[in-house]
Amino acid sequence: MNKKRLISSRFSVFIGFTGLFLLLSFVLRVLLFLWAGNEVDSSIIAVIKTILIGMFYDFGTVSFFLIVYAFYLISLPEKLIGSLLDKILTYIGLIVNLLIIYFSFFAELTFWEEFQTRFNFIAVDYLIYTYEVIDNINESYPIPLLISGILVLVGLTVFCFSKIQLFRATFSEKTTIANRGIMAVIVLVSFFLFSFFVDNQDAEWSSNRYNNEISKAGIYSFFAAFRNNEMEYDAFYASKTLESANDIVRKKLAQSKVEFLADNGVFRKVINDTEKEIRPNIILICVESLSASFMKTFGNNEGLTPHLDSLAGRSIFFNNLFATGTRTVRGMEAISLSIPPTPGRSIVKRPKNAGLFTINEVFKEKGYESYFYYGGDGYFDNMNAFFSGNGFNIIDRGRGYIPEYEIKTSRELISDEEVNFENAWGISDEDLFKQVIEHADQRKSSDKPFFNFVMTTSNHRPYTFPEGRIDLPQGSRSAAVKYTDFAIHDFIQKASKKPWFKNTVFIVMADHCASSAGKWELNIENYRIPALVYNLPGYEPMKIDKLCSQIDVFPTVFGMMGWEYNSNLFGLNVLELKPEEERAFIGNYRKLGLLKRDKLLVLDDQRKSNFYQWDDQTFKLEKLPVDIDYLDETIAYYQLASYLYKHDGLKVNQ
């Protein structure tokens, strides 16, 4: 009788694991629905569609787990079915797979808490930088409890499988290979389908981003991100002829007084009518995850940034500025390269990222020495290689792997004796700023002015910092923001007592917002960041209300200092822009947006585009028919930026 069954009982453990995986995936999807709350589209049709699409991806995902086991089950000779070897291999395979799915279940919850998305390229990157990530997890979550829970769940599952006699059925039925082959064929078809014909983006059926993310399967999303971390613009996005894109961008950049120095690209001489240049020291404090929404200036009433709010009133304050992306390396790319965000990984993490025309080329032309300060290990996210490869001297903690071959300039490590507080991501902001002050003291006798790019880490999970600094307990984002505010104030107060202070400009700007989550494909409010320029000689405090981007801050500062210089930067002096010329670039690793006064156009990686009207108070988007001129301009910026990077058009020596 057994040989006449459609599906052999030899597949009992196989079927049991499949059922468990689908059940866990369903439970996780329900939890994410509840977590998203009012942001998700909870209409009956949307819920049903989300669940059904999710189940489709779950079936595909489980086939990746089972493909090897399926062929093992049909290929093992009959005489070895139920043998000691068969039992050992089955138990080991089951336990390993159970560990993976239970771990991924909890990992998805923590990842969703941080990013409100399924696994993506960030999760892929985190596998590479294990030192920071493991320490961060250990400091943020009860790891011994979680591991114990996972092991208990694995043990209970094996016990339950045994109790309902799945192992007995698997090891007892001796049947032909042909009879065992039906299930293997099903798994093979699913594996082949999801490997070559189903794309992770196919799950993005809704205009609501949360429904799209919940429709996906986390593990499948992880491997899709691993495969698609590099994205060629021409292969995925709407494009024009290169000549047309070049002409459109050059016309936009020619609004200022410029003289183009090449027939193609953006290399040009920026002309300034100011009679006298000034060359003060410049210290950029790039603040981790400082959303505009944390500041009272932008409507926050929690009192998290009293010092920054006060400083904004005494500075040149950009109050309509937008980050280009959602990660630190994307902010670094925008600030240093002054370029719209190219799709896929940030240029900071890509090959061919040395010898580029960064803002440091402008500083070098003016006789500056440039330094990159980081409180963690600059190996993380390829920061040391990028900054050193573009002429910055490196000062970092260097706790882990030190690939000295990547350092093309000088490197100084921050020693244990110089550190009072440290967590997974690096030393406290106070300790980092202490380094900046000490080095400035040492350079005061030098004839060369200095430019410092200082990257903070304290406003990052696990949100820990030295005790006794603020009136909030450690461990929350709000507390970390308030500590960051305190540390910046403390730094400027100490710097103000130094002889070099009078001739030093302080720029404070966020790398990105604390969260990019929301229901739209690009959520405008989660790209708005503060930036201020303090102590710039010859200028009274002022607000710059013009819509602009991270890429525009340094070209604006260069203009205010009266500099005439060669530029390969896409950024503009925003003080010279007419209202109709104001724009900002926002994006993630797949979506590329051009933002104007009340419009947003988004390019996606299926050669499609969406056009919206946006409300600058509520940030709500309303879809519109596509404006062709607006579309052409958006394509031109992103296509040309991607082309120039790929074909060495961003290099210093073109």
Side-chain angles (χ1 to χ4, degrees):
M1 290 291 292
N2 287 343
K3 293 183 180 181
K4 296 181 180 180
R5 289 176 180 163
L6 182 62
I7 298 176
S8 169
S9 61
R10 174 74 172 143
F11 281 83
S12 296
V13 171
F14 178 102
I15 294 171
F17 177 84
T18 302
L20 176 66
F21 180 86
L22 296 177
L23 176 62
L24 284 174
S25 299
F26 177 78
V27 170
L28 178 60
R29 199 162 277 114
V30 171
L31 289 175
L32 297 182
F33 249 118
L34 297 174
W35 202 331
N38 295 329
E39 295 292 332
V40 71
D41 183 352
S42 56
S43 64
I44 297 297
I45 293 177
V47 171
I48 293 174
K49 196 167 183 178
T50 301
I51 295 296
L52 290 178
I53 292 174
M55 291 178 65
F56 173 72
Y57 276 88
D58 292 341
F59 275 109
T61 303
V62 79
S63 70
F64 286 82
F65 279 94
L66 297 174
I67 186 71
V68 174
Y69 186 48
F71 280 93
Y72 165 77
L73 289 174
I74 66 168
S75 62
L76 191 72
E78 271 190 72
K79 63 181 180 180
L80 292 179
I81 293 176
S83 66
L84 179 61
L85 175 65
D86 186 23
K87 291 177 179 179
I88 290 174
L89 292 177
T90 297
Y91 275 105
I92 290 175
L94 176 64
I95 290 171
V96 169
N97 281 329
L98 289 174
L99 285 170
I100 292 172
I101 65 170
Y102 282 128
F103 174 82
S104 67
F105 179 88
F106 290 111
E108 280 218 68
L109 292 174
T110 58
F111 195 81
W112 184 275
E113 179 186 15
E114 183 77 11
F115 301 105
Q116 288 78 54
T117 182
R118 289 299 185 103
F119 290 143
N120 57 23
F121 77 106
I122 299 175
V124 175
D125 281 352
Y126 277 10
L127 274 185
I128 300 172
Y129 304 106
T130 54
Y131 183 93
E132 289 85 352
V133 174
I134 291 174
D135 265 26
N136 180 35
I137 293 171
N138 191 44
E139 292 174 4
S140 303
Y141 302 101
I143 295 301
L145 182 62
L146 288 174
I147 292 176
S148 299
I150 290 171
L151 293 175
V152 168
L153 286 172
V154 170
L156 285 174
T157 303
V158 173
F159 174 78
C160 291
F161 276 27
S162 178
K163 198 71 175 174
I164 60 177
Q165 299 188 345
L166 296 184
F167 294 113
R168 180 179 177 183
T170 296
F171 298 139
S172 63
E173 183 175 276
K174 298 181 184 291
T175 185
T176 63
I177 291 177
N179 188 249
R180 286 181 259 148
I182 296 174
M183 185 64 76
V185 170
I186 295 173
V187 174
L188 178 61
V189 169
S190 177
F191 178 85
F192 185 78
L193 177 69
F194 276 82
S195 295
F196 299 102
F197 296 101
V198 177
D199 198 294
N200 202 43
Q201 288 109 289
D202 294 336
E204 298 179 1
W205 57 274
S206 174
S207 60
N208 186 297
R209 191 192 65 84
Y210 281 98
N211 289 81
N212 291 336
E213 291 299 321
I214 296 171
S215 295
K216 297 174 183 177
I219 296 173
Y220 187 80
S221 295
F222 176 87
F223 285 103
F226 185 86
R227 186 172 55 186
N228 295 322
N229 235 346
E230 297 287 349
M231 300 180 70
E232 295 290 343
Y233 182 91
D234 292 339
F236 292 95
Y237 294 86
S239 60
K240 303 173 60 62
T241 64
L242 183 61
E243 293 77 10
S244 176
N246 189 71
D247 289 345
I248 291 172
V249 173
R250 285 164 68 98
K251 286 178 182 177
K252 297 298 179 182
L253 299 185
Q255 298 302 313
S256 304
K257 298 174 182 178
V258 302
E259 177 187 340
F260 282 99
L261 302 176
D263 293 334
N264 298 298
V266 301
F267 191 54
R268 62 202 187 278
K269 184 179 186 65
V270 178
I271 301 166
N272 202 307
D273 293 334
T274 306
E275 294 182 0
K276 185 179 179 181
E277 290 188 351
I278 59 172
R279 299 187 184 183
N281 304 312
I282 297 179
I283 298 176
L284 165 68
I285 304 172
C286 189
V287 185
E288 171 70 38
S289 304
L290 184 67
S291 305
S293 59
F294 290 136
M295 295 182 65
K296 183 178 181 181
T297 305
F298 294 96
N300 187 294
N301 295 315
E302 298 176 74
L304 301 179
T305 58
H307 302 301
L308 283 174
D309 285 310
S310 173
L311 192 63
R314 294 178 281 125
S315 303
I316 299 158
F317 185 55
F318 293 77
N319 69 345
N320 201 13
L321 180 77
F322 290 80
T324 63
T326 61
R327 294 205 65 204
T328 297
V329 285
R330 191 62 84 177
M332 289 176 170
E333 170 193 276
I335 294 167
S336 60
L337 282 169
S338 187
I339 188 174
T342 52
R345 307 173 98 186
S346 166
I347 291 173
V348 174
K349 295 181 60 102
R350 291 195 208 173
K352 296 167 47 174
N353 68 359
L356 303 179
F357 194 105
T358 68
I359 55 174
N360 187 40
E361 291 304 310
V362 181
F363 282 114
K364 283 199 298 185
E365 181 187 332
K366 301 300 180 182
Y368 282 68
E369 284 282 347
S370 297
Y371 299 83
F372 172 64
Y373 288 79
Y374 182 58
D377 188 343
Y379 176 63
F380 182 79
D381 267 349
N382 206 45
M383 291 185 284
N384 277 354
F386 174 77
F387 281 99
S388 178
N390 290 293
F392 288 80
N393 299 295
I394 306 297
I395 297 95
D396 73 326
R397 184 70 171 103
R399 302 168 300 185
Y401 175 53
I402 305 176
E404 293 296 344
Y405 66 88
E406 292 186 346
I407 307 300
K408 298 177 175 62
T409 53
S410 69
R411 185 190 193 192
E412 181 178 332
L413 300 183
I414 302 169
S415 67
D416 292 344
E417 293 74 23
E418 299 173 287
V419 177
N420 294 309
F421 182 90
E422 188 169 18
N423 65 18
W425 290 105
I427 63 178
S428 69
D429 289 354
E430 287 175 88
D431 285 337
L432 183 61
F433 293 146
K434 181 181 176 183
Q435 293 288 319
V436 177
I437 289 176
E438 289 179 353
H439 286 108
D441 287 342
Q442 295 167 12
R443 298 183 200 122
K444 66 181 180 181
S445 60
S446 172
D447 293 333
K448 285 191 171 186
F450 60 80
F451 167 53
N452 292 342
F453 191 124
V454 184
M455 184 69 233
T456 73
T457 59
S458 289
N459 188 28
H460 193 297
R461 188 180 296 278
Y463 311 129
T464 55
F465 43 83
E467 292 284 358
R469 303 305 197 265
I470 61 171
D471 58 359
L472 293 176
Q474 300 198 33
S476 70
R477 171 74 77 179
S478 295
V481 171
K482 195 162 188 177
Y483 169 72
T484 296
D485 176 77
F486 162 83
I488 293 173
H489 172 70
D490 180 70
F491 168 58
I492 291 179
Q493 287 293 103
K494 290 176 178 175
S496 67
K497 298 177 173 61
K498 298 293 183 177
W500 45 264
F501 173 80
K502 185 177 180 180
N503 191 41
T504 301
V505 176
F506 299 83
I507 302 174
V508 180
M509 176 165 41
D511 58 350
H512 57 83
C513 282
S515 173
S516 61
K519 67 180 183 179
W520 308 104
E521 54 183 340
L522 290 177
N523 294 276
I524 298 173
E525 63 185 315
N526 293 331
Y527 289 85
R528 194 174 192 180
I529 58 171
L532 59 87
V533 180
Y534 174 66
N535 207 38
L536 180 61
Y539 285 88
E540 295 296 321
M542 61 183 287
K543 283 187 177 181
I544 297 179
D545 296 321
K546 294 179 181 289
L547 174 67
C548 55
S549 175
Q550 273 171 317
I551 74 172
D552 301 312
V553 172
F554 273 93
T556 302
V557 172
F558 294 156
M560 297 177 81
M561 292 191 297
W563 288 8
E564 189 165 286
Y565 61 98
N566 289 341
S567 172
N568 207 15
L569 314 173
F570 279 73
L572 296 168
N573 181 349
V574 300
L575 296 179
E576 297 181 350
L577 295 182
K578 300 173 184 177
E580 64 270 17
E581 296 169 344
E582 298 171 25
R583 81 285 176 270
F585 302 95
I586 62 175
N588 55 39
Y589 75 109
R590 288 180 46 223
K591 308 283 187 175
L592 308 171
L594 178 63
L595 186 67
K596 291 194 175 183
R597 284 178 294 177
D598 62 345
K599 301 292 190 303
L600 169 67
L601 194 140
V602 181
L603 304 175
D604 72 18
D605 52 2
Q606 295 178 317
R607 298 185 182 277
K608 297 178 182 177
S609 61
N610 289 315
F611 191 47
Y612 303 96
Q613 183 165 332
W614 68 284
D615 187 312
D616 63 359
Q617 299 300 313
T618 65
F619 297 98
K620 182 178 179 181
L621 300 181
E622 181 179 340
K623 201 163 185 180
L624 298 171
V626 172
D627 181 308
I628 298 301
D629 290 338
Y630 201 132
L631 174 63
D632 287 346
E633 181 182 350
T634 307
I635 292 172
Y637 274 120
Y638 288 110
Q639 182 178 349
L640 186 62
S642 297
Y643 176 86
L644 291 176
Y645 165 72
K646 184 178 178 181
H647 293 86
D648 296 332
L650 302 180
K651 293 285 186 179
V652 174
N653 299 312
Q654 300 180 69

